[in-house]
Amino acid sequence: MTVPHQRRPGDGPVGPYAFVFWNDDLDDDVVLTQLREIADAGFVGVTLSARVGLSRRVGYLTDEFLRLVRVAVDECARLGLAVMLYDEASYPSGSANGAVVARDPAFAARCLVPVTRDVEVPVGAPGDEPADAGYWRPALGRDLDVRLLAVVARPVDDAGGVVGDDAVLLPARAPGLVRLDLPPGSWRVTAVFDAASGGTIRGAHAEQDDGSALAPPAADLLSPDAVAAFLELTHDAYAAALGEHLGTTVVAMFTDEPFLLGRGHRRLARPYTPGLEAEVAARLDDGSGVEVAEVLRRLPELWDGDGTRPGGTDPDATGFVRDWDDAVRARLHRVYYDAQAAWCAAHGLALTGHPAEPDDLATAARLHWPGQDTVWRWVLPRASGGDGTALEGPESTAPKVAASAARARGGVPAVTEVLGAYGWRLSLDEARWLLDWYLSRGVTTPVLHAFFSSVRGGRAFESEPDLGRWNSWWPHLPPFVGYVRRIAELLDAAPPVWPVGLLSRPDTAPSGPVVRALLEAQVDFGYVDRDEGAHAGYAVLLDADDGVPDVPALKERLRAAGAPVVDAEPAAPDLRAVVLGGPPDDRPAGYVVFHEGEEPVRTWLRLPSVPDDACWWDPFTDTRHPVERDDHGRVLLDLERRRTLALVPSAGHPVPPAGAASGRRVEVTGWRGTVERVLGDPDTVVEDPSAVVPAQVELGDWTRVPALRRLSGSVRYTAEVDVPDGADAARLDLGVVGEAATVRVDGGVVGHAMSAPYVVDLGVLAPGTRTLDVLVSNSAANYYEGDRRPSGLLGPVTLTW
């Protein structure tokens, strides 16, 4: 087969991709219908993924599965959708749904595990034979597939601590006996075994999930032979099935948080593969000749700390443990990521996805399109109880880690998997905040998690929510997707200027006070791997270990270096100001201002330059508005919560003058609502047989109507209003909405409102009787979770001009 080379690994459309879950018994119609819906919603691409719940009839990597993949990719080519291929059955990646270990049991993920015994060696009488503690046969249960790698004795001091410098490596004798030939005193003897980790992955089929005896075994991602088997079983199968689509319609392979030990691994396991001790010895060798025996002697130190991550490494480690973890990471990069990257490059694809840890800058950098993810409500706006999560903790670094690694690779797309497992209670308000959180930090290619093929049975509660047809606010997703796409394309066309480089350890990007001080003062930054030494492009380098910088003094340093500086007067810590890069050595192309807080912001922006024909562009409504400046050249910014504005050249687009509102206000009454869309079976949603679904739904919370208390879906409300002459700059304030609304006037869509304040600009209204139409969709949690979240058009609704 001829391998196409139409696309370089760094090429590909930016903007929102839909993460598609194939999680049931699929056929062509199901696959094609879902893809067409996704294309109609405005996505630039899809990530196709086998997921828990896929039927055994379809199977994973079977002829039928690969046939359906071909059907899907053919249709994506017709629809103009780019495709990322997910490289595993569910996750974590690297095991081909257990087929790697099925090919050779030696390919199973391996680990080091300690077995410890405390020993007292008595002091003998003068002239007696030297005392010892006899023999010990250490064992790791009845596991036959283990190898005793080392037995190390360390003295125990009076305080109960071990003295590592005096450790003794004890030889093992057949049949696994160790003679405890030690000087008198207290000793802690540790036997270190090389064993299968026992870890698994979440498989493709319902009976292969976590905790099941049929969960697929995790493969050894540090073994070149195991990784080669993985590539043959998965990537080569896709190449054979898709042929000319690789490098054209198919733009990337998505690898998902490869996890060295697998899920549910042995207690105290640390990642290992045979021969790793020799690599550690080479890393420790400073020219004096470090022997492998010295590495084995120090192995018990791996368990002296208590801060290990799920993957088995310790981000706070120092000394030998740090050297061991660095060797593990280096081997993972070389054996797993580089092999994948080479395969992708040879087939005209980008390697993308994300590592297991959110602040792992060095691993993200191995991807052609670096990525990260944020799931399980780890990061939230303050309105949802997330105060601090946007700026502090490892998860808070994820967007900047992905974007910084992408910047270091030369401006390739930065990817994020976002919204996953946030639950059916996820609101569009939260989703907007989360996407803005990523976009404002430089991510240009968000993969929205997820679009389920099915919610049959328990599928509705597997990493929910579905963002597609099985969600009540699906009718309102297209304008949301359009907004994300416009921002992503803007950031890609004019990459943000980051004047500050924040030095980072390869595996632990800093967060907290330093990051907060920079972002809240509108000083943008990128993470810089302190071990790489490539720091070009930053006006100032900061080290988080030096503490919180003097921000006013820092801004003066930046100005002196010719870097663009943004000031908000008065200060506005909830703003995230992004400076758009212009041509080399030129002034900024514009600015994007995101609102990360909960209260409206009114401030004056002092900017390094403003285009003569500048306007405010609202990327959500795709409308333009004039710019107001004061005598000092500052620009006025009025920004509501969950709003974004870009200060950009008008570029020939008409900019209507600011309308002068007359101050007229009228409450719109007489609303009549009809149920238009229902999740689930309408008969089962009405649990009380005596409850009657009203012919018309009135203004107010529809959950108060007995027949509608569990209704998740959409209600269309209509009302008439008499509009006099001169109704310019009209605005419709919907009051309280649960939770998304689309507004029409006389049948034409005029705007969307998905978060408070629910206000839609109507522009100029012609005089006479106008028909207002508001489609309102509530939270899917009412149906799936039994919630009673306020639903419908609660009002009061007022029209002003």
Side-chain angles (χ1 to χ4, degrees):
M1 181 184 69
T2 300
V3 177
H5 292 281
Q6 291 91 335
R7 183 180 300 279
R8 294 182 301 109
D11 293 339
V14 299
Y17 284 64
F19 205 150
V20 175
F21 280 8
W22 284 2
N23 65 347
D24 210 329
D25 192 32
L26 306 177
D27 57 29
D28 293 24
D29 183 62
V30 169
V31 169
L32 295 175
T33 298
Q34 185 178 37
L35 291 173
R36 291 163 187 166
E37 291 173 343
I38 288 169
D40 288 344
F43 284 89
V44 303
V46 295
T47 302
L48 299 178
S49 168
R51 194 69 180 194
V52 175
L54 183 68
S55 72
R56 285 284 185 178
R57 183 192 68 80
V58 172
Y60 177 62
L61 297 178
T62 62
D63 290 344
E64 174 63 5
F65 176 85
L66 293 170
R67 186 192 70 80
L68 285 171
V69 171
R70 177 73 194 216
V71 167
V73 174
D74 284 346
E75 182 67 4
C76 287
R78 189 187 72 80
L79 295 169
L81 291 172
V83 176
M84 299 180 186
L85 295 174
Y86 193 84
D87 70 359
E88 186 53 82
S90 201
Y91 65 93
S93 289
S95 303
N97 203 45
V100 171
V101 178
R103 172 169 290 189
D104 187 339
F107 291 164
R110 303 202 69 77
C111 66
L112 297 183
V113 185
V115 174
T116 301
R117 174 182 176 182
D118 286 340
V119 173
E120 289 287 339
V121 180
V123 178
D128 289 349
E129 289 290 326
D132 64 33
Y135 289 91
W136 178 38
R137 189 184 71 82
L140 195 62
R142 295 184 177 181
D143 194 336
L144 304 182
D145 182 30
V146 299
R147 176 171 65 108
L148 183 59
L149 186 62
V151 180
V152 181
R154 295 187 291 175
V156 177
D157 61 25
D158 293 340
V162 293
V163 183
D165 291 343
D166 295 327
V168 177
L169 183 63
L170 299 175
R173 310 177 184 194
L177 293 176
V178 177
R179 184 180 177 187
L180 301 176
D181 186 8
L182 297 166
S186 299
W187 296 84
R188 182 156 299 150
V189 186
T190 302
V192 180
F193 288 92
D194 161 22
S197 74
T200 61
I201 70 165
R202 300 190 70 209
H205 307 300
E207 67 277 11
Q208 293 182 313
D209 207 346
D210 287 337
S212 168
L214 299 179
D220 182 358
L221 306 186
L222 301 178
S223 163
D225 291 339
V227 172
F230 171 64
L231 293 175
E232 179 186 337
L233 290 162
T234 55
H235 295 49
D236 287 350
Y238 280 126
L242 298 176
E244 73 281 2
H245 283 305
L246 266 66
T248 52
T249 302
V250 179
V251 298
M253 286 292 251
F254 190 106
T255 195
D256 196 351
E257 56 188 47
F259 186 7
L260 292 174
L261 296 171
R263 298 162 70 85
H265 57 79
R266 294 177 185 266
R267 182 175 173 271
L268 300 179
R270 299 297 295 264
Y272 180 71
T273 198
L276 185 61
E277 58 272 23
E279 294 190 25
V280 177
R283 180 174 290 272
L284 292 171
D285 193 352
D286 57 1
S288 58
V290 176
E291 300 290 338
V292 169
E294 173 62 14
V295 174
L296 298 178
R297 189 180 71 87
R298 300 188 64 178
L299 284 181
E301 295 178 33
L302 295 177
W303 294 275
D304 286 346
D306 57 2
T308 56
R309 286 177 162 175
T313 58
D314 184 349
D316 298 320
T318 58
F320 173 77
V321 180
R322 165 56 53 187
D323 289 324
W324 181 274
D325 287 352
D326 286 346
V328 169
R329 185 177 303 102
R331 186 172 176 111
L332 176 66
H333 291 171
R334 183 179 74 254
V335 171
Y336 181 80
Y337 283 101
D338 290 357
Q340 286 237 59
W343 190 98
C344 289
H347 291 77
L349 307 183
L351 175 62
T352 191
H354 55 87
E357 303 296 345
D359 51 351
D360 189 340
L361 181 63
T363 302
R366 311 305 289 194
L367 304 167
H368 295 130
W369 298 354
Q372 277 296 349
D373 77 334
T374 303
V375 294
W376 292 112
R377 304 187 75 84
W378 287 333
V379 178
L380 291 168
R382 285 202 301 269
S384 300
D387 190 20
T389 55
L391 296 169
E392 302 196 24
E395 299 299 334
S396 74
T397 70
K400 277 291 185 188
V401 165
S404 299
R407 182 72 59 97
R409 291 192 71 98
V412 299
V415 177
T416 173
E417 178 189 329
V418 66
L419 308 182
Y422 267 66
W424 288 110
R425 293 177 174 86
L426 175 73
S427 66
L428 277 171
D429 181 277
E430 292 173 327
R432 167 71 184 266
W433 183 92
L434 281 160
L435 266 298
D436 281 352
W437 182 70
Y438 265 103
L439 291 164
S440 67
R441 287 155 173 80
V443 168
T444 56
T445 306
V447 180
L448 275 61
H449 181 304
F451 291 77
F452 295 8
S453 294
S454 170
V455 291
R456 184 170 62 90
R459 290 166 176 80
F461 305 98
E462 196 278 299
S463 299
E464 69 273 17
D466 168 65
L467 303 177
R469 65 163 73 180
W470 312 113
N471 202 309
S472 48
W473 37 255
W474 166 243
H476 308 273
L477 202 61
F480 180 82
V481 170
Y483 161 77
V484 174
R485 183 171 183 169
R486 285 187 283 270
I487 288 287
E489 290 172 348
L490 177 65
L491 298 177
D492 183 62
V497 178
W498 292 348
V500 171
L502 188 58
L503 296 177
S504 171
R505 270 185 19 199
D507 62 332
T508 315
S511 67
V514 174
V515 169
R516 180 182 294 275
L518 294 175
L519 292 182
E520 290 187 344
Q522 291 77 54
V523 178
D524 215 343
F525 73 93
Y527 288 121
V528 177
D529 187 338
R530 67 171 73 245
D531 291 352
E532 287 295 319
H535 303 153
Y538 296 98
V540 172
L541 290 177
L542 296 179
D543 192 330
D545 292 342
D546 294 336
V548 179
D550 180 334
V551 174
L554 173 62
K555 286 190 169 184
E556 289 305 314
R557 287 179 62 194
L558 293 173
R559 289 189 180 95
V565 174
V566 175
D567 287 309
E569 301 167 348
D574 288 333
L575 294 185
R576 301 291 172 261
V578 174
V579 179
L580 299 175
D585 302 320
D586 201 357
R587 62 184 184 175
Y591 310 85
V592 188
V593 187
F594 298 85
H595 192 338
E596 207 160 281
E598 300 302 322
E599 300 299 326
V601 169
R602 181 181 175 86
T603 189
W604 292 91
L605 297 180
R606 189 181 296 277
L607 304 171
S609 63
V610 178
D612 293 335
D613 61 341
C615 67
W616 283 117
W617 174 51
D618 184 333
F620 183 76
T621 61
D622 197 16
T623 56
R624 288 164 174 79
H625 311 282
V627 174
E628 180 180 342
R629 307 188 209 189
D630 68 3
D631 295 339
H632 304 287
R634 300 180 305 175
V635 173
L636 179 64
L637 176 68
D638 270 313
L639 203 59
E640 296 280 359
R641 69 186 292 277
R642 306 294 184 272
R643 298 297 189 268
T644 301
L645 286 175
L647 187 68
V648 293
S650 60
H653 293 282
V655 181
S662 65
R664 298 282 302 275
R665 178 181 182 277
V666 61
E667 183 173 351
V668 183
T669 58
W671 292 95
R672 305 173 302 280
T674 55
V675 177
E676 184 166 294
R677 185 171 181 267
V678 178
L679 290 187
D681 184 343
D683 292 333
T684 63
V685 171
V686 181
E687 295 175 330
D688 183 353
S690 65
V692 178
V693 177
Q696 291 188 346
V697 180
E698 298 179 353
L699 202 70
D701 182 356
W702 77 52
T703 66
R704 297 180 182 274
V705 179
L708 303 180
R709 62 176 300 174
R710 255 191 77 217
L711 169 69
S712 287
S714 305
V715 171
R716 187 176 298 279
Y717 298 84
T718 59
E720 285 74 41
V721 60
D722 291 326
V723 178
D725 289 332
D728 298 339
R731 305 186 84 201
L732 188 67
D733 186 337
L734 300 175
V736 178
V737 174
E739 66 181 48
T742 295
V743 178
R744 292 175 172 83
V745 176
D746 293 338
V749 175
V750 294
H752 309 271
M754 302 178 189
S755 58
Y758 290 92
V759 178
V760 175
D761 289 323
L762 306 182
V764 178
L765 288 180
T769 300
R770 307 269 71 85
T771 299
L772 304 180
D773 174 311
V774 183
L775 181 71
V776 175
S777 303
N778 70 334
S779 172
N782 288 24
Y783 173 67
Y784 290 107
E785 303 284 355
D787 279 9
R788 293 190 66 180
R789 295 196 164 199
S791 303
L793 185 58
L794 281 67
V797 181
T798 56
L799 180 65
T800 60
W801 63 89

